[in-house]
């Protein structure tokens, strides 16, 4: 860090700012990787969540992913248009629709697994394996806190 830039020293001491910068960098790398598909990281997050669920209400997606409910509607619309998700009547409440991953959505995710690992490896290149595991564990503790 340049000694002539004391304002930068202050920012680099701010964990929230560093997490913000890491999130921006991660999003940029991932969006670059997804660019050819026409999807963004937010779409990918919906698909990844649905891959581990047997379907989800849109409000559940909003809560679990931390996205505004109106953003979820647009994301699901995009994914449905691409044939990666579909809305089905909820077995618990016929007035509600659940969003499910289609086979095309599953195929897309299978095709992105290796590229996703490459993005993560690029992002975390300065860290060794133990440091990456520690970072992952610490982030999970912070993110999963009620």
């Amino acid at each position: 860090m340049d000694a002539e830039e004391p304002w930068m020293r202050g920012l680099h001491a701010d964990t929230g700012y560093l997490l913000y910068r890491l999130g921006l960098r991660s999003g940029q790398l991932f969006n670059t990787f997804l660019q050819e598909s026409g999807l963004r990281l937010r779409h990918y997050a919906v698909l990844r969540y649905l891959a581990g669920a047997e379907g989800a209400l849109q409000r559940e997606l909003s809560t679990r992913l931390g996205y505004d409910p109106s953003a979820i509607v647009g994301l699901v619309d995009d994914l449905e248009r691409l044939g990666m998700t579909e809305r089905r009547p909820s077995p618990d409440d016929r007035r509600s629709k659940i969003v499910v991953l289609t086979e095309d959505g599953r195929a897309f995710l299978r095709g992105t697994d290796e590229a996703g690992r490459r993005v993560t490896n690029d992002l975390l290149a300065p860290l060794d394996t133990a440091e990456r595991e520690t970072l992952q564990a610490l982030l999970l503790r912070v993110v999963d806190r009620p």
Side-chain angles (χ1 to χ4, degrees), residues 6-7 19 25 46 49 70-71 87 107 109-110 117 119 129 146:
W7 60 269
L19 288 170
R25 179 75 178 130
V46 171
Y49 181 83
S70 62
R87 290 175 173 101
L109 287 175
R110 283 191 299 273
R117 281 190 288 277
V119 167
T129 302

Side-chain angles (χ1 to χ4, degrees), residues 57-72:
L57 295 169
Q58 288 182 171
R59 67 178 164 267
E60 177 185 350
L61 290 170
S62 174
T63 301
R64 298 285 186 183
L65 298 174
Y67 297 160
D68 186 81
S70 62
I72 288 293

Side-chain angles (χ1 to χ4, degrees), residues 1-11:
M1 192 168 5
D2 189 342
E4 296 179 65
E5 299 181 28
W7 60 269
M8 192 57 94
R9 242 190 330 272
L11 282 176

Side-chain angles (χ1 to χ4, degrees), residues 33 35 44 52 55 59 65 80 90 102 109 125 130 135 139:
F33 148 68
Q35 189 172 4
Y44 180 82
R59 67 178 164 267
L65 298 174
E80 196 169 39
S90 170
T102 64
L109 287 175
L135 177 62
L139 289 172

Side-chain angles (χ1 to χ4, degrees), residues 9-63:
R9 242 190 330 272
L11 282 176
H12 285 177
D14 184 330
T15 302
Y17 174 76
L18 292 175
L19 288 170
Y20 168 75
R21 287 286 309 269
L22 180 63
L24 280 179
R25 179 75 178 130
S26 175
Q28 289 167 342
L29 287 171
F30 219 89
N31 284 330
T32 298
F33 148 68
L34 289 171
Q35 189 172 4
E36 190 175 301
S37 70
L39 298 181
R40 310 272 302 156
L41 181 56
R42 294 168 67 97
H43 295 100
Y44 180 82
V46 171
L47 293 172
R48 270 285 162 224
Y49 181 83
L50 292 173
E54 293 297 318
L57 295 169
Q58 288 182 171
R59 67 178 164 267
E60 177 185 350
L61 290 170
S62 174
T63 301

